[in-house]
Amino acid sequence: MLITPEYLFASVSGITPAFLKAKGIAALVLDVDDTLTAHGSQELAAEVKDWLEQLRAAGVQLMIVSNNTKARVSPFAARLGLPFVSMACKPLTFGLAAARRRFGVPRHAMAIVGDQLFTDRLAASLYGVRALIVTPRGGAARRDIRFKRKLEQPFLRRYYRKGGKLL
């Protein structure tokens, strides 16, 4: 299904190098807001910093691909030492295509890590890569995000009905 999650994680730290290796994933596209940090924040939790270091040590290629502006994404990516694509227009696939070209990997070796089904999961489906969906990070969401979260509920229920588990 285009929007129903394939994998659902409680946090990014649940996405281990062993999991990625078992799935043949060598490169990760990372969303920022509500995935790596709270919406609009430049702060990064110690858990996420440690996770990024584990992935780097395992040789996983990392790149931020965000729908947000360069002014928002650039300082965040610079602090992490990661390349980025801003204004990615997910669920359109332009940002994912740009990332894959820079990674130099086939689609089957790339996945997106994100928190939204209608942007991250749908973009992954349309581009033909896997989506590793995480429980949203951060505090109270904006009104438009709260509305999308309600619309996501039937797809999350379908995931669990089909035997999916929170990893």
Side-chain angles (χ1 to χ4, degrees):
M1 187 85 202
L2 286 175
I3 299 173
T4 302
E6 296 169 278
Y7 304 101
L8 188 58
F9 293 87
S11 171
V12 292
S13 61
I15 303 168
T16 64
F19 173 87
L20 296 174
K21 185 175 182 180
K23 302 294 180 193
I25 298 169
L28 287 180
V29 166
L30 307 171
D31 180 51
V32 175
D33 290 319
D34 291 330
T35 299
L36 296 180
T37 190
H39 189 85
S41 174
Q42 290 288 330
E43 300 301 315
L44 196 66
E47 165 206 5
V48 178
K49 285 180 188 174
D50 293 344
W51 176 72
L52 290 169
E53 288 309 313
Q54 289 173 5
L55 294 178
R56 282 184 172 123
V60 178
Q61 295 184 72
L62 304 169
M63 184 180 305
I64 291 174
V65 175
S66 174
N67 282 353
N68 223 312
T69 64
K70 184 176 182 179
R72 159 72 174 118
V73 179
S74 180
F76 188 81
R79 275 222 270 34
L80 299 178
L82 293 176
F84 70 92
V85 175
S86 59
M87 299 301 290
C89 300
K90 296 177 287 183
L92 300 178
T93 61
F94 307 119
L96 297 180
R100 191 174 73 81
R101 281 191 304 274
R102 287 166 74 180
F103 284 143
V105 299
R107 290 179 200 218
H108 67 82
M110 184 175 107
I112 183 171
V113 178
D115 67 296
Q116 289 190 48
L117 298 182
F118 292 109
T119 55
D120 304 310
R121 172 62 174 122
L122 184 54
S125 293
L126 294 173
Y127 193 61
V129 299
R130 280 176 269 207
L132 311 177
I133 301 299
V134 298
T135 302
R137 201 176 245 327
R142 297 182 335 243
R143 181 183 295 183
D144 62 324
I145 301 297
R146 286 193 311 263
F147 179 69
K148 285 186 207 176
R149 299 282 182 226
K150 286 183 182 184
L151 294 176
E152 289 175 342
Q153 291 307 307
F155 301 100
L156 293 171
R157 284 193 296 272
R158 171 184 267 171
Y159 171 78
Y160 288 116
R161 268 197 322 269
K162 291 173 66 180
K165 302 212 182 309
L166 188 62
L167 305 170

